[in-house]
Amino acid sequence: FHQRKPTNQCWLFNLFGVPLPSRNLDEVDHLAPYRIAFEGLKPGRHDFQMEVDQKFFGLFPHSEIEQAKLSVDVHLEKLGNQLDCQVRLQGTIEVACDRCLGLFELETDFEDRVIAKLGEETDLDGDVWILGPELHELDLSQPIFEFAHLALPTRRIHPDESDCDPDMLDRLEGPGDGNDDEEPMDPR
């Protein structure tokens, strides 16, 4: 009797006890909640809600965002062969303060659109996506990722300077006036 090493393999058996092909649990599609199956949707408005956190941003290798807690509201309007999605992100994103380098939670409220049309060939590069006949889902993971980064302001500082790290603020102010024995600089 020897002990098996634990693995991330999931073994399933059919009704006759025959093992089915194993499925690696590390390969679970974590972006599946951000895809909307549009094929069976009736024309009209449909609402979806999604949650975005650090797991989501960890799936993108060059993400500037590490910690976040965002709620994503998607209002999809299906009109014939066109899908018009209003995407709104609300919540907090943890960022470093540009003044003191301390982390703080930045309130975020950002809204943008994704427009897609059903067509003959898939083209996701333009302002209007063309979804070919092989696609049956609208994948919003990349737009949500991009919208979250677009929601970040250029300058990120604590709303109140008193929340900044006082030691870092002292360093920014430079050396004090207590060193009178230094020679004055030559003004030339």
Side-chain angles (χ1 to χ4, degrees), residues 45-164:
R45 183 181 168 122
H46 304 273
D47 295 327
F48 301 91
Q49 189 168 34
M50 306 162 187
E51 298 297 321
V52 176
D53 59 11
Q54 62 271 10
K55 272 188 193 176
F56 174 82
F57 292 105
L59 297 171
F60 295 88
H62 301 291
S63 178
E64 186 178 343
I65 299 170
E66 292 180 15
Q67 296 286 331
K69 190 166 184 81
L70 298 171
S71 175
V72 181
D73 293 315
V74 179
H75 304 291
L76 183 141
E77 186 81 31
K78 185 175 182 183
L79 304 165
N81 68 343
Q82 180 173 319
L83 304 169
D84 185 359
C85 296
Q86 282 294 126
V87 181
R88 183 174 186 187
L89 282 74
Q90 290 180 297
T92 58
I93 299 173
E94 187 178 75
V95 295
C97 176
D98 290 339
R99 186 173 30 222
C100 72
L101 303 178
L103 296 177
F104 72 100
E105 290 189 351
L106 178 70
E107 290 287 327
T108 303
D109 191 352
F110 186 84
E111 191 168 334
D112 207 338
R113 287 174 87 168
V114 175
I115 300 173
K117 290 186 177 186
L118 305 179
E120 296 300 317
E121 286 186 25
T122 300
D123 179 17
L124 304 176
D125 292 330
D127 289 340
V128 176
W129 290 0
I130 308 297
L131 305 176
E134 74 279 2
L135 294 179
H136 307 287
E137 296 177 319
L138 181 62
D139 187 354
L140 294 176
S141 59
Q142 186 66 37
I144 290 170
F145 172 79
E146 292 173 6
F147 294 163
H149 283 80
L150 288 172
L152 294 174
T154 307
R155 186 158 187 231
R156 304 166 200 155
I157 57 172
H158 283 99
D160 186 4
E161 190 174 338
S162 66
D163 293 334
C164 282

Side-chain angles (χ1 to χ4, degrees), residues 6-21:
T7 64
N8 282 342
Q9 298 289 321
C10 177
W11 291 93
L12 299 175
F13 298 90
N14 68 10
L15 293 174
F16 303 107
V18 177
L20 297 172

